[in-house]
Each structure stands twice: as structure tokens, then as C-alpha cells.
Amino acid sequence: MSSWRSWHRPLVVFSAAMAVLAVVSAVGLVVDDRVLVGAPIWAKPFKFSVSFVVYCLTLAWMLTLLTRGRRIGRRAGHVVVLTALVEMVIITVQVVRGKRSHFNTATAFDSALWNAMGMTIVVLWAATLVIAALLLRTRIADRATALAVRGGLLIALAGAALGFLMTLPSESRQAVGGLDAADTMGAHSVGVPDGGPSMPLTGWSTTGGDLRAPHFVGMHALQLIPLLLIALVLLAPRFAPLRDAGVRLRLVRVAVGGYAALVALITWQALRGQPLIHPDAITLAAAGAILAAVAYGTWRALRPTAPTHPARNTADKEPVA
């Protein structure tokens, strides 16, 4: 791994700033008892700042892998920093005002802030897409590393794109309505209004579907799949099969396929208005099939490759008496 000193500096500095904001937000969670849409008002900046810490640090490292298009990659990194900064400023301003940042069209000012957030999210996604395209063209010597980086990025882009579904309420959400429905445009939940019973920490609905679940899980493929490869490399001295680069590559293939299937499954579950923690029989059957496929793929990946023997030359055979 390259030295952190060569990482994209603005992304690293922004990550440090988000770490500070996470601490401030944590203090806010303790000292500020205000609740907004069923959650502590400082929960959103806390979760977003922590997410941006890991997101931007990962991109800062990935940009060091570029062998071509480095200038374009650095500029795309600058765009990520700028758009993420705008988004976090809006979220924090709205918390101070005691207002929703997402989906809020109650006043002209709130609507303008929400529209600005929408534009920055689109630009941030596009900048990440540029980085992904550059990395797809980059020659990375280790095939497992190349797959972990590219697979994680592509799944993360798909997960981020799921956020756009939240701005387009489905017919079921429009029929149900919701908290301050006249003053909002879009929602996290499917089949129930935002602000109802929810899971601790994440805030995901426990009575209906919640698009934040696949959005979160998908985006963090960016970190989890490369971290899996790092774990395989660290375990290689203790487990002989993992010393084989081919085995590690096959295991990463299984991980990428399984992770993509998981994101697809929980997206389907959310769009059906089903809580993540209350799957029905069909969802459980699909999850079981994915788990079985991953288990089988892992078993096949760990099997030693049969050695190939050159064909024997009949001329070398001993003559038959």
C-alpha cells in the first residue's frame, strides 16, 4: 500500500474535518434533546460525517493507484470534497435551525437548500463515476486488488444511485402520506410515513421498507470489499491456501458477487415495503439461496487447483517385449 503522504490531500483534510464534526455531533446528541422526524436532531450530521470520513479516505487511497489520468482523478477528488462540503454545511445549518434538510420544501429557503443538496449529490456521484472509470482503465498488477477496488467502486456507485429513489415517492408512499407531507418531497420509507418506529442507531423503519438500508450497504462496499482482501493477505501466513494469489482472487470474486446480490435483495425488500428486520418467507428463501451460493463459491475457491501434467510422449514409453 502506498504511503498516506501520497494520498489526495484535500480528501484527507476533509475527512479530518468530518471526524471533528462527528465529535461535535456526538456531543449534540448528548446535550441537545430536540427530536426531528422521530430521531435525535444531531443523528443525521453524526451519521453523515462518519460516513464521509471512511468514504473520502477510501477514495484518497484509491486515487494513488492511478497510472493514467491522474490529473483528472485529482480534479474529480476536488469535486467530491467541494460537493460533500456543501452538503454537510446545509445539513448542519438545518440542524441549527431545527429543520429537516432532506425532502424539506416547507418554505422557499428550505426548498432552495434541498434543491442545492440534490444538485451536489448528483455532481458528487458523477465525480465518483469518473474516478471509477479511471480505475477501470488502470493497470493494477495484483488481480485480486484490481477486482476488489473496481468491484467495490461499482457496487458503491449503484448503492449511491439508490438514494435518488428517495426523491421520487412511490404510489404507495403518496397514498399513505406522512409527517408534514405537504411540506416535503420524497421520503426514506416505503409503505409507511417517515418518523415511525425505527431501529436504534441506524434509524431504519421497523414497520415498512426503508431505502436507506440498501443505500448504506451498497455505498460501503467501497470499504468492505478491499478490507476483505487486506484481511486475506494478513491471514495468508497462517493459512496456506491464502498464500496463493489465485485463491485470493477467487474469494474476492465470490465476495463481489455475493455483496451485489445482497444489495439487490435488500433493495427489492425495501421497495416491497418490508422492514429489513422482518423479512417474509420469500425474502428468507432468496437470502438462503445467496448464502448457499456464497458458501459453495468459497468452498470451490479454497480447493487446491489440480496440477497439470504434460502429456506423455508415446515415444518415451518402454518397448513391450
Side-chain angles (χ1 to χ4, degrees):
M1 181 179 290
S2 58
S3 168
W4 68 269
R5 295 180 185 276
S6 64
W7 292 16
H8 189 280
R9 184 168 298 177
L11 282 168
V12 173
V13 172
F14 180 72
S15 297
M18 289 300 97
V20 173
L21 180 58
V23 173
V24 172
S25 300
V27 173
L29 287 169
V30 175
V31 302
D32 191 340
D33 59 0
R34 289 180 298 167
V35 174
L36 186 64
V37 197
I41 199 167
W42 284 96
K44 187 179 291 292
F46 177 78
K47 290 187 289 187
F48 270 69
S49 56
V50 170
S51 182
F52 271 129
V53 168
V54 294
Y55 185 81
C56 291
L57 281 179
T58 307
L59 286 182
W61 163 66
M62 287 184 173
L63 284 171
T64 66
L65 302 175
L66 293 178
T67 57
R68 60 171 70 178
R70 289 181 176 177
R71 180 175 298 180
I72 296 174
R74 289 194 62 81
R75 289 176 178 173
H78 296 339
V79 172
V80 169
V81 170
L82 180 60
T83 52
L85 176 62
V86 171
E87 182 172 359
M88 291 307 301
V89 167
I90 292 174
I91 289 173
T92 306
V93 166
Q94 290 294 73
V95 165
V96 173
R97 295 180 65 229
K99 304 292 184 180
R100 297 181 66 173
S101 52
H102 288 68
F103 319 125
N104 188 354
T105 57
T107 67
F109 181 68
D110 292 324
S111 182
L113 291 181
W114 168 231
N115 289 334
M117 285 187 67
M119 289 186 289
T120 60
I121 292 168
V122 171
V123 175
L124 189 153
W125 187 88
T128 306
L129 178 62
V130 169
I131 294 173
L134 292 172
L135 285 167
L136 286 173
R137 298 177 59 213
T138 292
R139 185 180 181 86
I140 300 175
D142 182 68
R143 295 174 64 193
T145 300
L147 179 59
V149 168
R150 294 164 181 166
L153 259 172
L154 292 177
I155 295 173
L157 281 167
L162 291 173
F164 299 127
L165 294 177
M166 302 180 200
T167 66
L168 302 172
S170 65
E171 292 181 3
S172 61
R173 275 185 280 172
Q174 292 172 348
V176 171
L179 184 65
D180 297 326
D183 296 332
T184 60
M185 177 62 68
H188 299 127
S189 303
V190 179
V192 295
D194 283 349
S198 60
M199 296 169 58
L201 188 60
T202 64
W204 300 339
S205 176
T206 57
T207 56
D210 199 313
L211 289 166
R212 287 175 295 184
H215 178 61
F216 174 87
V217 173
M219 284 192 65
H220 289 290
L222 189 70
Q223 295 84 36
L224 293 178
I225 295 178
L227 282 174
L228 170 65
L229 177 58
I230 292 172
L232 294 177
V233 172
L234 292 176
L235 290 171
R238 294 189 177 186
F239 299 95
L242 299 181
R243 298 170 196 164
D244 185 343
V247 170
R248 295 196 299 270
L249 174 61
R250 293 194 294 272
L251 287 172
V252 172
R253 284 174 179 164
V254 172
V256 170
Y259 204 108
L262 173 64
V263 173
L265 174 63
I266 60 179
T267 301
W268 177 57
Q269 182 183 10
L271 289 173
R272 290 159 56 217
Q274 188 177 113
L276 180 69
I277 60 174
H278 298 302
D280 61 11
I282 297 176
T283 303
L284 286 173
I290 294 171
L291 183 60
V294 169
Y296 176 72
T298 301
W299 174 72
R300 287 292 302 269
L302 290 171
R303 289 179 64 190
T305 305
T308 56
H309 299 287
R312 295 182 63 184
N313 191 330
T314 56
D316 295 336
K317 291 182 179 179
E318 292 292 335
V320 178

